[in-house]
Amino acid sequence: MKAVVSFHGGLDSPNPADGKNIKARVLVLQGPDDPYVKASDIVAFQNEMRAHGVDWQMTVYGGAVHSFTDVSASSDVKTGAAYNEKADLRSFQAFHGPTHTIFSQALTRIIP
């Protein structure tokens, strides 16, 4: 596996020492107001990536909560899971854009 992409995913790690096994590039696309991802998990994730020299990047989309790419999700951010058109479009641009060519190339081999 050459690349891993997470759209509004959980970032907790039961065993941070396992970060040493990550050889793939990691792209995390996250909403800062996602109630399902604790701030402490974000900090721990970042520390784990740094500690093990993982090639990683995290992009945060203001105003987005969990499920920001799910068009069938609620539009009410107070529910904690809501579609956000701007975050949806921007995250897919980040995924497919020229600055993330390696992610697109690697995943094209996995997802035909």
Side-chain angles (χ1 to χ4, degrees), residues 24-85:
R25 292 178 172 103
V26 177
L27 174 62
V28 175
L29 306 167
Q30 198 72 25
D33 302 318
D34 186 334
Y36 302 106
V37 180
K38 296 183 282 187
S40 60
D41 287 344
I42 293 171
V43 171
F45 167 80
Q46 293 174 345
N47 289 339
E48 181 178 350
M49 297 296 102
R50 287 184 192 107
H52 298 290
V54 176
D55 183 357
W56 68 284
Q57 179 176 342
M58 176 182 276
T59 303
V60 179
Y61 300 97
V65 294
H66 195 74
S67 297
F68 62 80
T69 62
D70 184 352
V71 294
S72 66
S74 166
S75 60
D76 182 3
V77 295
K78 293 177 187 169
T79 66
Y83 179 68
N84 181 308
E85 184 177 20

Side-chain angles (χ1 to χ4, degrees), residues 2 6 10 12 21 23 31 35 38-39 45-46 55 60 67 83 89 91 95 99 107 110-111:
K2 295 192 183 241
S6 171
D12 62 323
N21 299 318
K23 304 301 181 214
K38 296 183 282 187
F45 167 80
Q46 293 174 345
D55 183 357
V60 179
S67 297
Y83 179 68
L89 294 173
S91 67
F95 172 69
T99 59
L107 289 170
I110 298 169
I111 304 169

